[in-house]
Amino acid sequence: MPRFPKFGSDVPYAEPSWYRGNPTPYYQEKHVKWRKKVRDFVEKEMRPFASKWDESKSFPLQELRRKAYNAGILSPCYPEHLGGTPPEGGWDEWMNVIWQDELARCGSGGVLIVLIGITVMSLPHTLKFGSDFLKRTVAEPVIRGDEGMCITLTEPEGGSDLANISTTAVKTPCGRYYIVNGTKKFITGGMTNRYFSTLVRTGGPGHSGVSLMMIDKTWPGTTTKKLETQGWWAGNTALVSFEDVKVPVEYLIGDEGMGFPYLVDVMNGERLVAIIGVIRGCRSCIQIAIEFARKRKTFGKRLIDHQVIRHKIFHMAKYAETLQDSLEALTYQMSEGAGAMKIGGPVALLKVQSTQALEFCVREASQILGGASYLRQGKGRELERAAREVRVAAVGGGSEEILIDLASRFAKL
């Protein structure tokens, strides 16, 4: 079983087990090279500027897209003939874990979600079910970093109840267009990205009446309004309104009435992105807490020398380590061909468990840092930001209640 030289931080539990030189049945030399490549990019192009970008609630998106694409970081998981840039050795599920984990170190969830995360969540439907026309017209410019895309599902009234969306797409008598009317809310990247992969009602009530289609922000009748959010300040979250938007039928993704099955088919990928990032968030809490506690002195000794502080740290570590094991077990199953219906329940449960763990880790790390964790500057600024962003981690991609219920339905009790 291979093992590789230690990599990254030497703070206990700040890195995954295989980074620490332990043997691994999953990772190979090609993964080691990819890990270094992504970390180098994040350290040079993202982490030094993340706090500034987040505080200003904006960042040079197009410039960063171009840098990331040229470095092979923006689009490593997409088809080469559409502009994808697979890493040396080819793309696989383990490359994805490393990609998302290393990117999550950037220091700003808002920057990361707009740069890469939202594309991972919105583009797969087009790549898997869309026409060649959509792949060339929409997917390729997005993959090459020339344009951006959002996933546009949630509505003001319904939240996660996607089966009952009210945004309508009515075909014109000539059969060449859909007329779209409705409103979508909480659309990450909506202020900056051009394309909206949108869930609309083309038929009757329920799941069978919804479809996916691509809507261009520049088309008449499409408007966006920025929403002020608790976290992800650089995420450009928007309210998107469609008023008699004329959408050519060529922009329908796949078939009418198949929107919900298409979403289910790729939703595990979206949740996996969240899980990987959240586990890295737990590890960042551990690292910040240990580094602070090693230097801070109280009552005549280092903070880390107080037993109660050490216990807080290792309660955080137990979550990070066990979550990582579960993530890698699910990743292995996916690499061996486990389908959406087979692993949908476990992925849903792991997403719930990981975000609950992140809430715990943010709180415990904040307790260790004390007042420093309340400041948007200095040693605690990254932790303060994490405290504001933990809510979107828990709700985005399906709230705990929705996912627990989903897992129970997959189980067919």
Side-chain angles (χ1 to χ4, degrees), residues 269-335:
E270 174 181 345
R271 290 174 183 143
L272 201 68
V273 170
I275 291 165
I276 297 167
V278 163
I279 296 172
R280 174 54 71 174
C282 293
R283 294 194 185 280
S284 294
C285 289
I286 294 168
Q287 182 172 351
I288 292 167
I290 291 177
E291 288 176 344
F292 182 87
R294 282 173 168 174
K295 295 178 180 178
R296 180 80 165 180
K297 287 189 177 181
T298 60
F299 305 104
K301 58 183 177 181
R302 297 183 310 163
L303 198 59
I304 198 89
D305 294 325
H306 294 276
Q307 185 183 61
V308 67
I309 299 300
R310 294 198 303 273
H311 285 188
K312 285 181 178 293
I313 289 167
F314 281 88
H315 278 301
M316 290 191 279
K318 76 182 180 186
Y319 286 119
E321 292 295 285
T322 55
L323 289 169
Q324 189 84 35
D325 287 346
S326 296
L327 166 66
E328 291 179 344
L330 280 175
T331 302
Y332 176 76
Q333 292 170 33
M334 293 174 71
S335 72

Side-chain angles (χ1 to χ4, degrees), residues 35-110:
R35 178 182 63 181
K36 183 179 186 305
K37 183 175 183 176
V38 184
R39 179 159 295 203
D40 287 348
F41 182 85
V42 169
E43 290 294 321
K44 180 182 178 183
E45 304 291 353
M46 298 182 75
R47 274 193 70 82
F49 317 107
S51 290
K52 177 183 177 182
W53 289 340
D54 204 72
E55 288 291 322
S56 66
K57 300 184 180 181
S58 67
F59 66 104
L61 174 57
Q62 199 54 44
E63 178 186 348
L64 191 58
R65 272 183 186 149
R66 183 53 46 199
K67 287 180 178 179
Y69 182 76
N70 291 338
I73 302 299
L74 185 72
S75 302
C77 57
Y78 304 122
E80 274 190 273
H81 70 278
L82 294 176
T85 56
E88 180 182 345
W91 187 254
D92 60 27
E93 300 291 349
W94 304 105
M95 292 289 193
N96 184 50
V97 171
I98 294 167
W99 186 44
Q100 296 297 337
D101 179 40
E102 289 294 329
L103 287 169
R105 295 182 61 260
C106 76
S108 169

